[in-house]
Amino acid sequence: MSVSRAAAIVGAAEATEIGYPEEPRTSLQLHIEAIKAVSEQTGIPISAIDGIFSAGWSSELAEHLGIHPHYIDTTSVGGCSFEMHVHHALLAIHAGVIDVALVS
């Protein structure tokens, strides 16, 4: 199978409140809210996530979600970090290292 057809993006979500919520939240809390929302949207349980890609939060996300991923990526190169995370996730799926990637 070609790399370009090895995976698909099946969901995207944001935190329930963005901008300036009445009750301030940390960026980690906003990540967790968005992850729970995308899990509900797609029907993919959080426990199925085996790869986490985030600019600096990967280990903390795994800990707060109670999962032990096979692959963690913390690439941080500015505004295009998330584009690189998608590419890295595609390659990890294509290589058979992971099945479900979370880019947050």
Side-chain angles (χ1 to χ4, degrees):
M1 173 188 328
S2 75
V3 173
S4 66
R5 295 174 187 245
I9 296 172
V10 296
E14 292 181 324
T16 54
E17 254 183 277
I18 59 173
Y20 298 97
E22 279 189 37
E23 283 189 41
R25 294 183 188 88
T26 67
S27 59
L28 181 58
Q29 288 172 310
L30 296 173
H31 279 271
I32 297 295
E33 284 182 18
I35 293 164
K36 288 180 179 177
V38 80
S39 174
E40 290 174 17
Q41 175 195 87
T42 62
I44 298 171
I46 289 172
S47 61
I49 297 167
D50 55 359
I52 299 181
F53 302 76
S54 180
W57 287 113
S58 296
S59 297
E60 290 84 354
L61 290 172
E63 182 179 343
H64 283 282
L65 295 171
I67 59 177
H68 302 281
H70 297 135
Y71 194 102
I72 288 180
D73 187 326
T74 59
T75 300
S76 181
V77 292
C80 71
S81 297
F82 305 106
E83 292 174 33
M84 293 185 75
H85 292 153
V86 170
H87 182 75
H88 294 169
L90 172 64
L91 294 174
I93 290 168
H94 181 59
V97 177
I98 63 172
D99 291 314
V100 178
L102 167 69
V103 176
S104 183

